[in-house]
Amino acid sequence: MGPGPPAAGAAPSPRPLSLVARLSYAVGHFLNDLCASMWFTYLLLYLHSVRAYSSRGAGLLLLLGQVADGLCTPLVGYEADRAASCCARYGPRKAWHLVGTVCVVLSFPFIFSPCLGCGAATPEWAALLYYGPFIVIFQFGWASTQISHLSLIPELVTNDHEKVELTALRYAFTVVANITVYGAAWLLLHLQGSSRAEPAQDISISDQLGGQDVPVFRVGMLYMTTRLIVNLSQTYMAMYLTYSLHLPKKFIATIPLVMYLSGFFSSFLMKPVNKCIGRNMTYFSGLLVILAFAAWVALAEGLGVAVYAAAVLLGAGCATILVTSLSMTADLIGPHTNSGAFVYGSMSFSDKVANGLAVMAIQSLHPCPSELCCRACVSFYHWAMVAVTGGVGVAAALCLCSLLLWPIRLRRWDRDPRP
């Protein structure tokens, strides 16, 4: 005899997503990842070393972008959740994704292009004002795409391990995007270096969220510190390689490339490692790798060829904590998918503003704000790299300890009180 029909009232378990559907989702953030790689890795270097703006001016533009992004994320999340009953055919998530993509495509090219109409006599403040509107439009578009894309995870899958797998696939395409950027940068810099020989020594460069849910956002602090480590290390890696280690300019492409290749291969281990030791210990292991990198950089006089091994450590550690923290956020949302975009937006708010303020603080401490570089830059970027990985890594470890001591427990609220 067969097993018989399912019990009355039993909801059928959702079918797992097909491979095509999973890959289609994972590639949906590819353009954002390309732009984010350029933004965090090369914006300060471009504005300060190429366009010759002051370090404070360059930091101010990055701060403007981060504040704009931070303000847009909760607003976009709220509107995307509120529009759940609209856009029935296309869907509110995909509609916001499309709007964001259009804004990014139309604004981002102007950020890395010379100021139109600016000349040698144009004051710096006027040039900075020129870039401001493009940065705000770009960050609004980037936030719209990011929040709508992230909020699809708890709607597409409900199983915890499938959430990790979907997040890991998403991160894998993030790595592919970064490899594309750094590979293109290496090729262009290599060809440029081949066309004109330079002396070796001349190297330049809950259905409703409310006040009762405040304790839940301790995941929020963990997410913020995670993004600080990932984004700030990416931002200052090029400066560290150029001004502290005095490496040729091709290294600002090859070292980030090694980091993201390491992260790419590490992302495939996330699902089995999470199954084996759990979310918290997976995150902690990633933190240990990052702290090992920070200790190595702090104690070493000069890394030399070992900089590649250090890049492997940083890439693997950043991939581990980023994928795990995003999976924790999806766990936080759980079945309350109608508030998913707002949760991601609220958490991203602290992340974006903190990143911008951190960069502005570091740039304000720069020992030679009016020059491209001086002797003090050697130790400045050395300790900046130690601080953004080791210092913030310790803060992330403290946040993780608070979650281990006082774990988050989601409350269920049923509309129907009957059993």
Side-chain angles (χ1 to χ4, degrees):
M1 293 178 63
S13 58
R15 297 179 59 185
L17 287 179
S18 66
L19 178 60
V20 174
R22 281 177 285 171
L23 292 177
S24 298
Y25 169 80
V27 79
H29 206 249
F30 193 77
L31 176 63
N32 258 23
D33 291 328
L34 288 174
C35 296
S37 180
M38 286 288 294
W39 175 265
F40 284 111
T41 305
Y42 296 126
L43 181 69
L44 286 181
L45 197 67
Y46 172 77
L47 294 174
H48 187 53
S49 300
V50 179
R51 306 306 305 169
Y53 298 138
S54 67
S55 61
R56 284 190 177 90
L60 188 61
L61 283 181
L62 195 142
L63 174 61
L64 171 64
Q66 295 306 109
V67 170
D69 195 358
L71 292 174
C72 288
T73 44
L75 296 176
V76 169
Y78 174 76
E79 289 296 329
D81 288 332
R82 197 166 66 96
S85 59
C86 306
C87 310
R89 183 172 182 179
Y90 194 65
R93 312 297 190 210
K94 292 190 289 183
W96 277 97
H97 188 279
L98 178 61
V99 169
T101 300
V102 172
C103 290
V104 169
V105 169
L106 294 180
S107 61
F108 190 74
F110 290 94
I111 299 175
F112 282 88
S113 300
C115 173
L116 297 177
C118 296
T122 304
E124 181 177 300
W125 64 266
L128 297 181
L129 284 177
Y130 167 85
Y131 288 108
F134 295 113
I135 289 176
V136 171
I137 295 172
F138 160 66
Q139 293 292 1
F140 167 77
W142 202 95
S144 300
T145 305
Q146 181 205 32
I147 298 305
S148 58
H149 193 256
L150 281 173
S151 60
L152 279 171
I153 294 179
E155 293 197 3
L156 292 174
V157 292
T158 56
N159 182 276
D160 288 347
H161 300 307
E162 289 181 344
K163 291 177 184 177
V164 174
E165 183 182 26
L166 209 57
T167 306
L169 280 174
R170 181 181 184 273
Y171 184 77
F173 277 95
T174 298
V175 173
V176 172
N178 282 273
I179 291 173
T180 302
V181 170
Y182 299 136
W186 175 84
L187 181 62
L188 292 173
L189 292 173
H190 177 74
L191 292 176
Q192 184 187 41
S194 303
S195 62
R196 44 177 197 146
E198 298 177 352
Q201 66 274 15
D202 186 21
I203 300 172
S204 61
I205 331 254
S206 187
D207 290 304
Q208 299 295 327
L209 295 173
Q212 72 277 7
D213 296 300
V214 169
V216 169
F217 285 87
R218 285 188 289 117
V219 173
M221 287 296 295
L222 191 69
Y223 180 77
M224 183 187 73
T225 52
T226 299
R227 298 301 306 196
L228 278 172
I229 295 171
V230 175
N231 294 339
L232 291 180
S233 63
Q234 187 177 356
T235 299
Y236 284 99
M237 178 57 78
M239 301 292 201
Y240 170 67
L241 296 171
T242 302
Y243 298 125
S244 294
L245 299 184
H246 301 292
L247 295 174
K249 60 185 179 182
K250 65 179 181 181
F251 278 82
I252 67 173
T254 56
I255 294 302
L257 183 61
V258 170
M259 287 172 54
Y260 276 92
L261 282 173
S262 173
F264 176 76
F265 291 113
S266 298
S267 65
F268 291 105
L269 300 176
M270 292 301 102
K271 186 177 180 180
V273 171
N274 269 267
K275 279 186 175 181
C276 183
I277 63 177
R279 296 266 204 276
N280 293 330
M281 291 308 299
T282 302
Y283 188 93
F284 185 67
S285 64
L287 276 183
L288 287 180
V289 174
I290 292 173
L291 292 174
F293 166 85
W296 193 354
V297 171
L299 298 175
E301 291 284 335
L303 291 178
V305 181
V307 69
Y308 286 103
V312 170
L313 285 180
L314 184 58
C318 286
T320 301
I321 64 174
L322 184 57
V323 169
T324 308
S325 67
L326 287 173
S327 300
M328 288 176 171
T329 307
D331 292 342
L332 170 64
I333 295 170
H336 310 294
T337 58
N338 58 328
S339 297
F342 179 76
V343 172
Y344 280 112
S346 300
M347 291 188 171
S348 294
F349 172 78
S350 60
D351 146 43
K352 305 301 168 50
V353 174
N355 274 283
L357 291 175
V359 169
M360 193 62 198
I362 294 172
Q363 291 300 105
S364 298
L365 295 173
H366 197 282
C368 46
S370 59
E371 303 176 23
L372 292 183
C373 191
C374 66
R375 288 184 177 272
C377 289
V378 176
S379 60
F380 177 76
Y381 288 115
H382 172 88
W383 291 110
M385 182 57 66
V386 173
V388 300
T389 53
V392 184
V394 171
L398 294 176
C399 292
L400 181 63
C401 288
S402 74
L403 292 179
L404 293 174
L405 293 174
W406 301 287
I408 293 174
R409 303 185 186 279
L410 293 176
R411 296 184 299 274
R412 293 182 60 90
W413 178 72
D414 298 322
R415 298 179 185 273
D416 189 356
R418 294 175 300 177

mmCIF file with all atom_site columns, all heavy atoms in Angstrom, residues 4 52 112 147 154 245 251 282 343 367 384 417:
data_model
loop_
_atom_site.group_PDB
_atom_site.id
_atom_site.type_symbol
_atom_site.label_atom_id
_atom_site.label_alt_id
_atom_site.label_comp_id
_atom_site.label_asym_id
_atom_site.label_entity_id
_atom_site.label_seq_id
_atom_site.pdbx_PDB_ins_code
_atom_site.Cartn_x
_atom_site.Cartn_y
_atom_site.Cartn_z
_atom_site.occupancy
_atom_site.B_iso_or_equiv
_atom_site.pdbx_formal_charge
_atom_site.auth_seq_id
_atom_site.auth_comp_id
_atom_site.auth_asym_id
_atom_site.auth_atom_id
_atom_site.pdbx_PDB_model_num
ATOM 1  N N   . GLY A 1 4   ? -0.423 6.956  1.204   1.00 0.00 ? 4   GLY A N   1
ATOM 2  C CA  . GLY A 1 4   ? -1.690 7.644  1.379   1.00 0.00 ? 4   GLY A CA  1
ATOM 3  C C   . GLY A 1 4   ? -1.540 9.131  1.176   1.00 0.00 ? 4   GLY A C   1
ATOM 4  O O   . GLY A 1 4   ? -0.445 9.663  1.072   1.00 0.00 ? 4   GLY A O   1
ATOM 5  N N   . ALA A 1 52  ? 44.550 64.701 -8.441  1.00 0.00 ? 52  ALA A N   1
ATOM 6  C CA  . ALA A 1 52  ? 45.317 65.608 -7.575  1.00 0.00 ? 52  ALA A CA  1
ATOM 7  C C   . ALA A 1 52  ? 44.437 66.458 -6.660  1.00 0.00 ? 52  ALA A C   1
ATOM 8  O O   . ALA A 1 52  ? 44.805 67.583 -6.313  1.00 0.00 ? 52  ALA A O   1
ATOM 9  C CB  . ALA A 1 52  ? 46.236 66.506 -8.407  1.00 0.00 ? 52  ALA A CB  1
ATOM 10 N N   . PHE A 1 112 ? 34.116 58.487 -12.657 1.00 0.00 ? 112 PHE A N   1
ATOM 11 C CA  . PHE A 1 112 ? 35.501 58.201 -13.013 1.00 0.00 ? 112 PHE A CA  1
ATOM 12 C C   . PHE A 1 112 ? 35.890 58.855 -14.337 1.00 0.00 ? 112 PHE A C   1
ATOM 13 O O   . PHE A 1 112 ? 36.752 58.352 -15.053 1.00 0.00 ? 112 PHE A O   1
ATOM 14 C CB  . PHE A 1 112 ? 35.732 56.683 -13.075 1.00 0.00 ? 112 PHE A CB  1
ATOM 15 C CG  . PHE A 1 112 ? 35.893 56.057 -11.714 1.00 0.00 ? 112 PHE A CG  1
ATOM 16 C CD1 . PHE A 1 112 ? 34.793 55.612 -11.005 1.00 0.00 ? 112 PHE A CD1 1
ATOM 17 C CD2 . PHE A 1 112 ? 37.145 55.944 -11.131 1.00 0.00 ? 112 PHE A CD2 1
ATOM 18 C CE1 . PHE A 1 112 ? 34.927 55.041 -9.747  1.00 0.00 ? 112 PHE A CE1 1
ATOM 19 C CE2 . PHE A 1 112 ? 37.305 55.375 -9.873  1.00 0.00 ? 112 PHE A CE2 1
ATOM 20 C CZ  . PHE A 1 112 ? 36.194 54.926 -9.173  1.00 0.00 ? 112 PHE A CZ  1
ATOM 21 N N   . ILE A 1 147 ? 19.235 46.327 -2.068  1.00 0.00 ? 147 ILE A N   1
ATOM 22 C CA  . ILE A 1 147 ? 18.189 45.955 -1.111  1.00 0.00 ? 147 ILE A CA  1
ATOM 23 C C   . ILE A 1 147 ? 17.139 45.065 -1.762  1.00 0.00 ? 147 ILE A C   1
ATOM 24 O O   . ILE A 1 147 ? 16.693 44.074 -1.172  1.00 0.00 ? 147 ILE A O   1
ATOM 25 C CB  . ILE A 1 147 ? 17.545 47.217 -0.512  1.00 0.00 ? 147 ILE A CB  1
ATOM 26 C CG1 . ILE A 1 147 ? 18.601 48.032 0.255   1.00 0.00 ? 147 ILE A CG1 1
ATOM 27 C CG2 . ILE A 1 147 ? 16.396 46.847 0.399   1.00 0.00 ? 147 ILE A CG2 1
ATOM 28 C CD1 . ILE A 1 147 ? 19.327 47.242 1.315   1.00 0.00 ? 147 ILE A CD1 1
ATOM 29 N N   . PRO A 1 154 ? 15.035 35.481 1.332   1.00 0.00 ? 154 PRO A N   1
ATOM 30 C CA  . PRO A 1 154 ? 14.054 34.769 2.168   1.00 0.00 ? 154 PRO A CA  1
ATOM 31 C C   . PRO A 1 154 ? 12.732 34.504 1.461   1.00 0.00 ? 154 PRO A C   1
ATOM 32 O O   . PRO A 1 154 ? 11.912 33.728 1.970   1.00 0.00 ? 154 PRO A O   1
ATOM 33 C CB  . PRO A 1 154 ? 13.852 35.718 3.367   1.00 0.00 ? 154 PRO A CB  1
ATOM 34 C CG  . PRO A 1 154 ? 14.247 37.061 2.861   1.00 0.00 ? 154 PRO A CG  1
ATOM 35 C CD  . PRO A 1 154 ? 15.333 36.826 1.855   1.00 0.00 ? 154 PRO A CD  1
ATOM 36 N N   . LEU A 1 245 ? 54.413 49.829 1.042   1.00 0.00 ? 245 LEU A N   1
ATOM 37 C CA  . LEU A 1 245 ? 55.284 48.760 0.549   1.00 0.00 ? 245 LEU A CA  1
ATOM 38 C C   . LEU A 1 245 ? 56.098 49.172 -0.675  1.00 0.00 ? 245 LEU A C   1
ATOM 39 O O   . LEU A 1 245 ? 56.992 48.445 -1.104  1.00 0.00 ? 245 LEU A O   1
ATOM 40 C CB  . LEU A 1 245 ? 54.457 47.509 0.232   1.00 0.00 ? 245 LEU A CB  1
ATOM 41 C CG  . LEU A 1 245 ? 53.696 46.885 1.409   1.00 0.00 ? 245 LEU A CG  1
ATOM 42 C CD1 . LEU A 1 245 ? 52.999 45.609 0.974   1.00 0.00 ? 245 LEU A CD1 1
ATOM 43 C CD2 . LEU A 1 245 ? 54.634 46.612 2.589   1.00 0.00 ? 245 LEU A CD2 1
ATOM 44 N N   . PHE A 1 251 ? 50.715 46.020 -8.893  1.00 0.00 ? 251 PHE A N   1
ATOM 45 C CA  . PHE A 1 251 ? 50.278 45.294 -7.705  1.00 0.00 ? 251 PHE A CA  1
ATOM 46 C C   . PHE A 1 251 ? 48.919 45.751 -7.204  1.00 0.00 ? 251 PHE A C   1
ATOM 47 O O   . PHE A 1 251 ? 48.250 45.012 -6.488  1.00 0.00 ? 251 PHE A O   1
ATOM 48 C CB  . PHE A 1 251 ? 51.322 45.425 -6.589  1.00 0.00 ? 251 PHE A CB  1
ATOM 49 C CG  . PHE A 1 251 ? 52.472 44.469 -6.726  1.00 0.00 ? 251 PHE A CG  1
ATOM 50 C CD1 . PHE A 1 251 ? 53.538 44.747 -7.563  1.00 0.00 ? 251 PHE A CD1 1
ATOM 51 C CD2 . PHE A 1 251 ? 52.483 43.277 -6.026  1.00 0.00 ? 251 PHE A CD2 1
ATOM 52 C CE1 . PHE A 1 251 ? 54.596 43.869 -7.708  1.00 0.00 ? 251 PHE A CE1 1
ATOM 53 C CE2 . PHE A 1 251 ? 53.529 42.387 -6.145  1.00 0.00 ? 251 PHE A CE2 1
ATOM 54 C CZ  . PHE A 1 251 ? 54.595 42.682 -6.999  1.00 0.00 ? 251 PHE A CZ  1
ATOM 55 N N   . THR A 1 282 ? 31.625 29.488 12.261  1.00 0.00 ? 282 THR A N   1
ATOM 56 C CA  . THR A 1 282 ? 32.131 29.800 10.923  1.00 0.00 ? 282 THR A CA  1
ATOM 57 C C   . THR A 1 282 ? 32.564 31.253 10.849  1.00 0.00 ? 282 THR A C   1
ATOM 58 O O   . THR A 1 282 ? 33.639 31.587 10.326  1.00 0.00 ? 282 THR A O   1
ATOM 59 C CB  . THR A 1 282 ? 31.052 29.524 9.862   1.00 0.00 ? 282 THR A CB  1
ATOM 60 O OG1 . THR A 1 282 ? 30.656 28.154 9.937   1.00 0.00 ? 282 THR A OG1 1
ATOM 61 C CG2 . THR A 1 282 ? 31.580 29.805 8.468   1.00 0.00 ? 282 THR A CG2 1
ATOM 62 N N   . VAL A 1 343 ? 14.410 45.389 6.663   1.00 0.00 ? 343 VAL A N   1
ATOM 63 C CA  . VAL A 1 343 ? 15.465 44.898 7.549   1.00 0.00 ? 343 VAL A CA  1
ATOM 64 C C   . VAL A 1 343 ? 16.828 45.077 6.909   1.00 0.00 ? 343 VAL A C   1
ATOM 65 O O   . VAL A 1 343 ? 17.762 45.594 7.522   1.00 0.00 ? 343 VAL A O   1
ATOM 66 C CB  . VAL A 1 343 ? 15.213 43.416 7.919   1.00 0.00 ? 343 VAL A CB  1
ATOM 67 C CG1 . VAL A 1 343 ? 16.407 42.835 8.668   1.00 0.00 ? 343 VAL A CG1 1
ATOM 68 C CG2 . VAL A 1 343 ? 13.957 43.285 8.762   1.00 0.00 ? 343 VAL A CG2 1
ATOM 69 N N   . PRO A 1 367 ? 48.871 62.555 7.164   1.00 0.00 ? 367 PRO A N   1
ATOM 70 C CA  . PRO A 1 367 ? 49.947 63.464 7.560   1.00 0.00 ? 367 PRO A CA  1
ATOM 71 C C   . PRO A 1 367 ? 50.296 64.522 6.519   1.00 0.00 ? 367 PRO A C   1
ATOM 72 O O   . PRO A 1 367 ? 50.902 65.530 6.859   1.00 0.00 ? 367 PRO A O   1
ATOM 73 C CB  . PRO A 1 367 ? 51.137 62.517 7.792   1.00 0.00 ? 367 PRO A CB  1
ATOM 74 C CG  . PRO A 1 367 ? 50.826 61.328 6.949   1.00 0.00 ? 367 PRO A CG  1
ATOM 75 C CD  . PRO A 1 367 ? 49.333 61.179 6.975   1.00 0.00 ? 367 PRO A CD  1
ATOM 76 N N   . ALA A 1 384 ? 47.031 52.152 9.186   1.00 0.00 ? 384 ALA A N   1
ATOM 77 C CA  . ALA A 1 384 ? 45.632 52.225 8.768   1.00 0.00 ? 384 ALA A CA  1
ATOM 78 C C   . ALA A 1 384 ? 45.118 50.846 8.375   1.00 0.00 ? 384 ALA A C   1
ATOM 79 O O   . ALA A 1 384 ? 44.005 50.445 8.742   1.00 0.00 ? 384 ALA A O   1
ATOM 80 C CB  . ALA A 1 384 ? 45.469 53.203 7.611   1.00 0.00 ? 384 ALA A CB  1
ATOM 81 N N   . PRO A 1 417 ? -5.312 32.459 16.594  1.00 0.00 ? 417 PRO A N   1
ATOM 82 C CA  . PRO A 1 417 ? -4.833 31.906 17.855  1.00 0.00 ? 417 PRO A CA  1
ATOM 83 C C   . PRO A 1 417 ? -5.141 30.434 18.023  1.00 0.00 ? 417 PRO A C   1
ATOM 84 O O   . PRO A 1 417 ? -4.656 29.807 18.955  1.00 0.00 ? 417 PRO A O   1
ATOM 85 C CB  . PRO A 1 417 ? -5.578 32.753 18.910  1.00 0.00 ? 417 PRO A CB  1
ATOM 86 C CG  . PRO A 1 417 ? -6.862 33.142 18.216  1.00 0.00 ? 417 PRO A CG  1
ATOM 87 C CD  . PRO A 1 417 ? -6.499 33.342 16.772  1.00 0.00 ? 417 PRO A CD  1
#
